[in-house]
Amino acid sequence: MNAPDRYERFVVPEGTKKVAYERDTKIVNAASFTIEREDHTIGNILRMQLHRDPNVLFAGYKLPHPLQYKIIIRIHTASQSSPTQAYAQAIDDLDRELDHLKKSFEEEKISTDNQSLVLAAQEIKNKTFLRSSKKAVPNEATTFVLFFKEDF
Amino acid sequence: MEGVSYQRFPKIKIREMKDDYMKFELRETDASMANALRRVMIAEVPTIAIDLVEIEANSSVLNDEFIAHRLGLIPLVSDDAMGMRFSRDCDACDGDGQCEYCSVEFHLNVRCDSDQTLDVTSNDLRSTEPRVIPVDVAARSLASESGGFDSPDQRGIIIVKLRRGQELRLRAIARKGIGKDHAKWSPAATVTFMYEPEIHINEELMETLTLDEKTTWIESSPTKVFDIDPNTYQVRVVDPEAYTYDEEVIKKAEAMGKPGLVEIYAKEDSFIFTVESTGAIKSYQMVINAIEILKQKLDAVRLQDTEEADIGELTQHLGRGL
């Protein structure tokens, strides 16, 4: 009856920013990013990517409460960088990693498809060879293979 | 900004690929990426499922909401889901779901007039869009086209059974959605990944064991990871991936007074994925869509007002300097 709408888990409410940036008032080069309607999926990959940046002294994320659909990422960097710079860099790097992943996945699919096609052709060839060696009469299967080979 | 990059270049190897099942290796990345992909495939790759049901007549034994729920769970061919709109952000309609961009209409009209019980199945659903039909119906029409076997037990997904005089008449609207909203929209039956194990047998120590001891040690593993070479009587690893990280063989070695007989590590940058689809989306497409969705999610969390934030940082620095 009074259950909240399910879409509240992933639709950013109107008037709310997706990402809010808040600088730490006590420490230089430290800041928190509050990301609305995101969870461990984004939080954890960003944190791990930030750890790869040597300018990042600290990076962590938290999901404050399971019913508050937001995460807070905290970044502390060395003086030659800034939290916003590290944050943007991490997103760019992950984005390019995913581009690479997609490309290699597509290439791998093409080579797997070709491989299975060659295997299938080989199998038909072997079968018909056995059969036609017994009876020297071309049967339906051999004609099919001849056609198939030309096509291939 | 200054041209540095901490990007990785992951490697992929597909081991097995069928329409609804796939196994592949993902290497040279970390667990956060593997887990993000898994989570996105389960909860955020969109599919199409029945969401709104208007019952015109229902004299069956099941109540209206029960039938509506069952209809929702029928997987529909969702190859077009990525290009569709969510009905909540559709501009072409006011959300009643009667528009081509965000919804597909189904009709069901069945009445039993014989003495035999009549099964109402996914076959009886009439779609207004031929590309969006129940997965099992699509598979059967494909099988009969290519001259496949039409086995009699392939009757479709049973929705309800009717006896003489009962009828079911309804209009249903299928919409695009994600698993986070309701599990009926999840394209994944299972998505799992495991760390690839690296098994090192201490051959020197192993040779101090008698054949019987070797056999009992091998049999201490609940899964068949090791066996004995019939010629040399040496213990060898037959299937490292059968290892479930149960550490039984390590405990057994210790109990036998031979600690360090075997060392097993989990390769932290190497994952073996198993993806099973409900049929709504082909397993390969599911992975590709997951990568695409994850990219979109990352783009959405980019800091929009970068200048404002940088100026804030700059003034703080200046303030400190002064």
Side-chain angles (χ1 to χ4, degrees), chain A:
Chain A
M1 284 264 266
N2 56 358
D5 289 318
R6 284 196 314 245
Y7 65 78
E8 276 185 28
R9 297 179 61 187
F10 47 87
V11 178
V12 183
E14 261 178 74
T16 323
K17 269 192 186 167
K18 179 80 180 172
V19 189
Y21 164 78
E22 199 192 347
R23 219 174 52 231
D24 194 296
T25 49
K26 296 195 181 98
I27 312 164
V28 206
N29 283 321
S32 299
F33 297 81
T34 306
I35 308 175
E36 281 293 334
R37 314 288 124 142
E38 289 298 346
D39 55 16
H40 301 284
T41 307
I42 287 294
N44 200 29
I45 46 170
L46 272 178
R47 174 183 73 112
M48 294 313 282
Q49 187 62 40
L50 283 161
H51 287 170
R52 294 173 59 81
D53 186 340
N55 288 322
V56 171
L57 304 176
F58 173 87
Y61 84 98
K62 67 175 173 185
L63 188 81
H65 191 278
L67 293 175
Q68 286 172 9
Y69 307 112
K70 64 175 183 193
I71 53 166
I72 298 167
I73 297 181
R74 200 175 145 74
I75 307 172
H76 190 170
T77 67
S79 54
Q80 61 262 47
S81 184
S82 75
T84 44
Q85 201 181 320
Y87 181 80
Q89 175 79 46
I91 292 177
D92 283 342
D93 288 342
L94 284 170
D95 205 47
R96 265 176 283 143
E97 176 172 343
L98 286 167
D99 276 334
H100 173 83
L101 200 63
K102 194 174 177 183
K103 212 179 87 220
S104 39
F105 215 92
E106 282 160 350
E107 283 167 7
E108 176 69 11
K109 188 200 183 230
I110 293 167
S111 73
T112 331
D113 280 349
N114 287 346
Q115 234 164 40
S116 53
L117 216 62
V118 169
L119 278 173
Q122 202 81 47
E123 206 168 294
I124 296 173
K125 216 173 113 185
N126 288 345
K127 268 188 199 161
T128 43
F129 177 71
L130 284 173
R131 222 189 285 176
S132 52
S133 61
K134 276 183 199 159
K135 289 189 279 178
V137 192
N139 50 24
E140 265 178 274
T142 27
T143 41
F144 167 66
V145 169
L146 289 173
F147 171 74
F148 184 77
K149 265 168 85 183
E150 274 166 48
D151 205 42
F152 188 59

Side-chain angles (χ1 to χ4, degrees), chain B residues 128-308:
Chain B
T128 50
E129 164 62 56
R131 282 179 64 82
V132 182
I133 51 172
V135 162
D136 59 306
V137 177
R140 232 167 303 129
S141 72
L142 202 72
S144 61
E145 252 175 54
S146 62
F149 316 97
D150 218 348
S151 83
D153 54 279
Q154 297 246 309
R155 282 170 306 185
I157 302 165
I158 296 180
I159 297 161
V160 66
K161 290 182 177 182
L162 302 179
R163 63 169 288 173
R164 187 191 261 285
Q166 293 180 337
E167 75 165 326
L168 182 62
R169 211 164 59 224
L170 57 87
R171 192 174 75 98
I173 285 157
R175 288 169 166 171
K176 173 183 174 175
I178 59 172
K180 227 182 203 184
D181 191 341
H182 190 290
K184 70 183 174 188
W185 276 300
S186 177
T190 43
V191 183
T192 60
F193 67 83
M194 71 176 282
Y195 287 111
E196 187 179 23
E198 204 181 322
I199 304 175
H200 299 285
I201 297 173
N202 186 337
E203 300 290 355
E204 220 172 282
L205 201 55
M206 189 60 82
E207 281 319 301
T208 63
L209 262 62
T210 63
L211 191 58
D212 274 354
E213 282 176 317
K214 282 179 184 170
T215 320
T216 45
W217 180 76
I218 286 166
E219 278 164 6
S220 74
S221 174
T223 49
K224 199 169 168 41
V225 182
F226 307 96
D227 78 347
I228 287 182
D229 192 306
N231 301 318
T232 61
Y233 299 114
Q234 273 182 321
V235 175
R236 59 184 181 183
V237 181
V238 274
D239 185 8
E241 277 158 39
Y243 186 60
T244 54
Y245 295 96
D246 45 60
E247 298 189 1
E248 288 295 332
V249 282
I250 294 164
K251 283 177 213 151
K252 182 71 181 176
E254 274 165 20
M256 289 164 83
K258 309 272 179 188
L261 187 63
V262 69
E263 279 182 347
I264 304 175
Y265 307 103
K267 284 193 194 168
E268 304 234 321
D269 68 338
S270 189
F271 310 93
I272 299 151
F273 267 82
T274 312
V275 176
E276 274 178 61
S277 152
T278 58
I281 302 176
K282 290 191 173 60
S283 59
Y284 163 77
Q285 200 56 43
M286 228 167 97
V287 182
I288 291 289
N289 289 0
I291 296 171
E292 194 49 46
I293 298 280
L294 197 53
K295 262 169 64 74
Q296 286 170 12
K297 280 171 77 77
L298 278 168
D299 279 336
V301 300
R302 280 206 158 91
L303 203 57
Q304 293 306 318
D305 43 5
T306 326
E307 296 104 81
E308 193 189 303

